[in-house]
Amino acid sequence: MIHETIGTDEWEWAGKPYAAIENVGQRDGSVLVVPVGSVEQHGHHLPVITDTLLVDAVVHGGAKSLRDDVPLLVAPPIWSGFSPHHLSLGGTLSLEFEHLRRTLEDVGRTGLENGFDAVCFVNGHGGNSAIIDALVSTLGKTADAEVLGTTYFTLATTEVSDLRESETGGMAHGGEYETSLMLYLRPDLVVDSMIEEGTRWDEHYDWAGGDLLDGGSLSVYRNFEEYSDTGDIGAPELASADKGERIYEAVTEELGALFTAVHEHNR
């Protein structure tokens, strides 16, 4: 339960008294990191908390890798994202686009009021990407601090590509990538008996991309059942805990490098 684990890491915002938060924020080059996830269906084998769990895990892994002199705090994750395309399959809790953008603006703005020199939003759900991009501008134009945003599965793509066994399309929603990470981080939440050969990405337009490592140059809206009867897309049958560990190490190393670069730029 969250009440048993929250605040156990020294870089957690939630476990500190307010004066301790301000002490970190007032140091040179201080960085606030906000993980942004979602609660949505991920097929029959993965829990609906997958996106939030994974982005929170990689952000904390990146924070753990930092030198002691990097002043950084990680906020509690924003657990609900923008997921209208998943609603018809059930199990999904979604915010409206503007509601989520304004929520993130408020979190970032009030977080920065504690003296932080930068805020970095780290996203874990493809449907949030446009909101994160917009937020960097809408908050950034008024904030007296640097505002940044990234999506974790767009990082370390060369290293992850070297690990994959599937062709393009296999590391899509609930596929080889996310299932491997879940098998490494929370195997107790993976329904092994429901892991089977997944539906491959089948989009009419070639420009729309193929999976998490190939986002494409064209956006198109479709309800998710147009892609998959089960709600997952990709090759979960090729996932493994060992592969998940190696993906985790590659992504957290790059996040750690990013956080360090943000700190050094804002000193």
Side-chain angles (χ1 to χ4, degrees), residues 209-228:
D211 58 24
L212 300 181
L213 303 187
D214 176 25
S217 58
L218 178 71
S219 297
V220 57
Y221 181 84
R222 304 194 191 285
N223 287 323
F224 221 74
E225 62 264 34
E226 295 185 54
Y227 293 123
S228 169

Side-chain angles (χ1 to χ4, degrees), residues 163-184:
L163 296 173
R164 72 184 303 165
E165 296 178 71
S166 63
E167 300 297 326
T168 298
M171 283 191 162
H173 184 73
E176 182 184 11
Y177 191 117
E178 292 182 313
T179 304
S180 291
L181 277 176
M182 287 296 295
L183 286 169
Y184 170 57

Side-chain angles (χ1 to χ4, degrees), residues 26-62:
Q26 290 166 8
R27 291 171 58 189
D28 268 355
S30 57
V31 183
L32 170 61
V33 181
V34 182
V36 186
S38 68
V39 172
E40 65 185 40
Q41 70 79 26
H42 271 74
H44 293 157
H45 65 290
L46 293 181
V48 296
I49 198 65
T50 292
D51 286 346
T52 301
L53 188 155
L54 294 182
V55 71
D56 193 56
V58 297
V59 164
H60 280 268

Side-chain angles (χ1 to χ4, degrees), residues 105-121:
E105 283 182 357
D106 287 347
V107 169
R109 175 179 53 80
T110 55
L112 289 172
E113 288 176 1
N114 292 271
F116 286 84
D117 295 314
V119 57
C120 183
F121 295 87

